Amino acid sequence: MSKPIVVSIPHRLGKEEALRRLKPGLTGAAASFPVLKVDEEIWSGDRLTFRVRALGQAAAGTVDVADDHVKLEVTLPWLLQKFAEAAQTAIRARGKLLLEKK
């Protein structure tokens, strides 16, 4: 099994505001990246469990929202592992955009 990608993004929004901003985020991200398809998106309290598909490969993970940070953990199939660093950078950038104070 592949080693998961873990991205922690700090924020100063509080848990409720971070959740409000993130809940539409995965679907929005998929709309921005035509190769990404959301297969499953289930929120349970402050945790999102998801499955996505890119380039015919499935990936699964979780997003945990805390008062001061968001932690995303996703396991990529071996075929997508070579894109792990780029994915981590893109996830961090997208997350920061969603969690910036406005």
Side-chain angles (χ1 to χ4, degrees):
M1 178 171 250
S2 301
K3 182 179 172 186
I5 295 173
V6 178
V7 178
S8 183
I9 305 166
H11 67 80
R12 294 183 181 158
L13 300 171
K15 187 186 294 187
E16 295 307 315
E17 178 62 13
L19 280 166
R20 186 188 70 75
R21 292 185 186 194
L22 290 173
K23 284 196 173 182
L26 186 58
T27 304
S32 300
F33 299 101
V35 298
L36 185 66
K37 179 183 180 288
V38 179
D39 288 338
E40 182 177 77
E41 184 175 0
I42 301 171
W43 280 96
S44 178
D46 55 3
R47 174 174 262 219
L48 166 65
T49 303
F50 65 89
R51 282 184 312 138
V52 294
R53 186 172 305 280
L55 305 172
Q57 300 294 307
T62 59
V63 175
D64 291 300
V65 182
D67 290 328
D68 62 350
H69 72 282
V70 173
K71 179 182 162 193
L72 176 132
E73 188 170 320
V74 62
T75 303
L76 299 175
W78 70 270
L79 189 60
L80 295 179
Q81 277 295 307
K82 63 182 174 180
F83 301 110
E85 189 174 319
Q88 199 169 18
T89 301
I91 290 165
R92 186 172 282 113
R94 179 77 174 173
K96 283 183 180 180
L97 282 175
L98 288 170
L99 295 171
E100 284 180 348
K101 279 208 178 237
K102 294 179 184 172

